[in-house]
Amino acid sequence: MVTPLLTTTLDATRSAVAAARARGQRVGFVPTMGALHAGHLSLIRRARAECGFVVVSIFVNPTQFGPHEDLARYPRPFEKDLAACTAEAVDLIFNPTAEVVYPPFFKTFVEVTGLQNVLCGATRPGHFRGVATVVLKLFNIVQPDVAYFGQKDAQQARILIQMVRDLHLSVEMVLCPIVREADGLALSSRNVYLSTEQRQQAPVLFQCLRMIQERIAAGDRLTEPLVQLARARIWETPGARLDYAAIVDFERLEPIDVLSGKVLIALAVFFGATRLIDNILVDVSPA
Ligand code: PAF
C-alpha cells in the first residue's frame, strides 16, 4: 500500500492535481472534516472507482461551527484517517491549517440565500454560510472534475449543488447514499458522543423515516399527519428531544402540504448535547 501524498499548502495541492490532470487523469474530490467512518469510505470508494486521481481534504472548518457548538472537541484522529485513506488508495490528502484556508483579514463569504436558513439552518445560524464558503475555497484549491457528497447531509448537498449551478462552477456533483449501522442509525462522526443508553435509542430517527415511507407506499399523501407521527414517536423516546421533523420539496426546501415529486423527509433530534440528523429522499407519484 502506498501512503497518499500529504499537502498542507495551496501551491503543493494545485501542482499535484495539475500533474495528475496533465497525465490525463480525472480528478475526484471528497471533502471531509476527518474522523472518517464507513460513510466517508463509501464516497472515497465511489471516487476511486470513477476517477484516476482521488483527493480527500481533511479540514475541521471553524466557520461552520456556532459559538456553542463542538469545534474544540470535534474528533481529530489524523493517524487513523491517514491509515483509512491509505487502505482506500487515496492519491492525495489536503490537510491545511485554519490559517491557510482563512488567512488574516479574510473577508469574503458565500451565502446560498433561501436554502440556508431553513431545516438545520434554522437552529444553526451561519452554518451553511461556513460550509458553502469552505467548499468553494476547496473547489478553487483542488479544482476537481467531480466531487462526492453524502445524502446524510441532504440540505448541505442541496445548497452546494445550487452554489455550483449559480456560480457556473464546472464541478460535477455526485450525491451518494447514506450508510447505516445494522440497526438503521446513520453513520456520523458525532455518533461517538452518544452514551450507551443514547446509542440504544438513536435508531428511532430511521424508524420514524421508515414509518413515514411505509405510509407513503400505502398511499398517504398529506404531509401533516406524517410529520405528527414522527413528532409523537420522538416525544415518547426516552432521552430524545426533537429539533425538527419536516417534509419539504427537495428543490426549494420549502414545506409542502401534499406529497408530490422529489421530496425530502428530514429529522434532527438531540440526545443530550448531541444532535443527530437523518433523512430519506422519495419520488412521490400522485396517489
Ligand atoms: O460534510 C462535511 O464534512 C463538511 O460540511 C464539509 C463538506 C467537509 C465542509 O466542511
Side-chain angles (χ1 to χ4, degrees), residues 29-34 40 57 59-62 64-65 74 127-128 130-132 134-135 138 148-150 153 156 160 189:
F29 179 39
V30 182
T32 81
M33 298 206 300
H40 297 109
S57 62
F59 177 60
V60 182
N61 172 37
Q64 70 189 72
F65 288 79
Y74 196 84
H127 170 68
F128 289 114
V131 170
V134 81
V135 171
L138 292 168
Y148 297 83
F149 293 89
D153 296 298
Q156 163 174 287
L160 295 173
S189 305

Side-chain angles (χ1 to χ4, degrees), residues 191-255:
N191 290 352
V192 296
Y193 300 151
L194 296 170
S195 68
T196 311
E197 296 74 33
Q198 291 168 338
R199 173 63 190 82
Q200 273 164 8
Q201 301 296 341
V204 71
L205 280 85
F206 188 53
Q207 288 158 13
C208 288
L209 296 170
R210 286 287 294 275
M211 205 161 61
I212 293 175
Q213 198 169 29
E214 282 161 16
R215 295 286 291 263
I216 296 172
D220 285 19
R221 289 295 178 269
L222 294 181
T223 56
E224 191 49 33
L226 299 177
V227 170
Q228 287 302 348
L229 263 182
R231 285 199 185 117
R233 184 78 175 76
I234 300 297
W235 177 253
E236 70 197 20
T237 302
R241 182 167 58 83
L242 186 69
D243 179 359
Y244 69 79
I247 301 184
V248 298
D249 158 59
F250 189 54
E251 178 70 13
R252 297 174 175 273
L253 300 184
E254 285 170 359

